[in-house]
């Protein structure tokens, strides 16, 4: 089996809090893994441990068979890992186009690029996510849904082999969600492997080859979406979180 990503016994402790507790899983190349769980379950932390925003307390992360969990984030980006942020982090003074051009300059394919070529690339990715009409605006002028599209375009411009999407559909309406689902499927069709965190169950079910469920930092279920969503422990975790 060709696993692009392997996570083994991964643990992250923030002072007293165990945010990720001995989590193990693998992602096959060109597959989409849905990562779900109630708020505070550890989903964003797990993505940060893979992308290099955080380093683990214990355990390992292997990318294409090599350990990467002690590498800085920019080194992992050069290897081909890109993520979006749940709370957008644009360069506010730059145009939408140049925000994405930065991704093109600093990603896996970037080091030899000229700015003009990076901007050309950026234009292509902005078209891909449906943001053509906003390229000249400042990034901080964008509304919610367009910010999500910008996050996605920035990450794609890095030409990743592995793309980590943290709630890119939050705040979108059903039509916009359908559009983003289509974009993500197109991304996978280009040979990119994807981890997608999402609360919209319809989106997760339609996208994911497999699902992994986190609860209080622990993996409580993993497998085919239909099976996982019928799992009693998973249902209890979600009902429990709704009552709070
Ligand atoms: N940088 C941090 N410092 C301290 N605690 C954190 C930090 N980041 C996340 N946490 C805590 O870790 C737990 C998991 O958070 P998070 O990964 O954001 O969950 P999710 O994305 O599933 O909602 C939460 O209890 C959160 O408060
Ligand atoms: Mg989160």
């Amino acid at each position: 089996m060709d696993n692009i990503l392997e996570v083994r016994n991964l643990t992250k402790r923030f002072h007293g809090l165990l945010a990720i507790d001995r989590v193990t899983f693998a992602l096959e190349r060109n597959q989409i893994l849905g990562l779900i769980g109630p708020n505070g379950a550890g989903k964003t932390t797990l993505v940060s441990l893979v992308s290099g925003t955080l380093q683990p307390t214990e355990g390992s992360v292997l990318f294409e068979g090599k350990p990467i969990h002690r590498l800085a984030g920019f080194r992992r980006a050069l290897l081909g890992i890109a993520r979006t942020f749940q709370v957008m982090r644009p360069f506010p003074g730059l145009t939408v186009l140049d925000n994405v051009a930065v991704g093109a300059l600093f990603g896996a394919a970037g080091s030899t690029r000229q700015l003009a070529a990076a901007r050309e690339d950026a234009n292509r990715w902005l078209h891909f996510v449906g943001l053509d009409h906003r390229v000249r605006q400042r990034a901080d002028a964008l509304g919610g849904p367009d910010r999500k599209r910008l996050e996605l375009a920035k990450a794609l411009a890095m030409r990743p082999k592995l793309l980590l999407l943290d709630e890119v559909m939050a705040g979108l309406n059903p039509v916009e969600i359908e559009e983003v689902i289509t974009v993500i499927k197109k991304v996978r069709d280009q040979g990119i492997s994807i981890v997608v965190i999402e609360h919209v169950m319809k989106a997760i079910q339609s996208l994911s080859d497999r699902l992994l469920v986190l609860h209080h930092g622990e993996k409580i279920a993993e497998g085919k979406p239909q099976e996982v969503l019928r799992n009693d422990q998973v249902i209890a975790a979600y009902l429990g979180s709704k009552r709070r």
Side-chain angles (χ1 to χ4, degrees):
M1 215 191 292
D2 183 13
N3 290 331
I4 187 155
L5 178 69
E6 282 176 48
V7 165
R8 294 182 187 159
N9 264 306
L10 200 63
T11 296
K12 181 66 182 179
R13 207 182 273 280
F14 293 116
H15 307 289
L17 180 91
L18 206 46
I20 292 291
D21 188 3
R22 291 164 297 163
V23 169
T24 295
F25 69 92
L27 172 63
E28 247 184 272
R29 196 179 294 275
N30 211 13
Q31 295 258 302
I32 300 180
L33 176 72
L35 182 55
I36 65 171
N39 276 331
K43 304 180 296 295
T44 296
T45 301
L46 183 54
V47 159
S48 297
L49 290 167
V50 173
S51 71
T53 315
L54 292 173
Q55 297 208 346
T57 309
E58 278 170 59
S60 53
V61 180
L62 283 81
F63 180 68
E64 300 190 307
K66 297 185 195 75
I68 57 161
H69 50 275
R70 294 293 165 212
L71 298 180
F74 78 93
R75 294 230 171 267
R76 301 191 209 187
L78 288 171
L79 292 176
I81 300 175
R83 74 172 291 180
T84 64
F85 286 90
Q86 188 171 355
V87 178
M88 191 188 61
R89 296 181 177 180
F91 304 101
L94 294 186
T95 60
V96 167
L97 181 71
D98 281 347
N99 263 273
V100 180
V102 170
L105 283 170
F106 291 103
S111 46
T112 60
R113 290 278 168 78
Q114 303 285 320
L115 181 59
R119 283 188 171 139
E120 237 170 75
D121 247 28
N123 261 315
R124 271 197 313 119
W125 290 116
L126 284 163
H127 175 71
F128 191 86
V129 302
L131 262 187
D132 309 77
H133 54 300
R134 300 258 185 248
V135 290
R136 278 169 227 293
Q137 292 187 4
R138 277 171 53 127
D140 50 2
L142 293 185
D146 284 345
R147 287 178 184 220
K148 294 289 181 182
R149 289 200 181 90
L150 175 60
E151 273 292 295
L152 191 54
K154 270 166 59 181
L156 286 168
M158 296 172 71
R159 305 308 304 259
K161 296 177 188 171
L162 172 63
L163 179 62
L164 309 164
L165 302 174
D166 194 353
E167 298 199 24
V168 288
M169 297 177 211
L172 303 189
N173 69 38
V175 174
E176 292 163 342
I177 286 173
E178 280 304 324
E179 289 167 6
V180 174
I181 289 174
T182 305
V183 170
I184 295 173
K185 285 181 174 164
K186 276 200 291 176
V187 170
R188 189 260 289 275
D189 290 344
Q190 300 196 346
I192 297 174
S193 314
I194 301 171
V195 176
V196 52
I197 298 177
E198 206 48 66
H199 283 300
V200 183
M201 280 301 158
K202 187 172 154 273
I204 273 288
Q205 271 177 292
S206 112
L207 278 172
S208 305
D209 299 301
R210 293 175 69 74
L211 278 188
L212 189 158
V213 190
L214 285 180
H215 187 41
H216 298 311
E218 280 181 85
K219 179 173 88 173
I220 59 166
E222 185 186 10
K224 294 207 178 84
Q226 306 87 323
E227 289 164 19
V228 165
L229 294 174
R230 264 191 261 120
N231 177 309
D232 287 341
Q233 236 189 320
V234 173
I235 292 166
Y238 271 93
L239 290 178
S241 76
K242 270 182 195 152
R243 261 188 237 122
R244 251 190 261 137

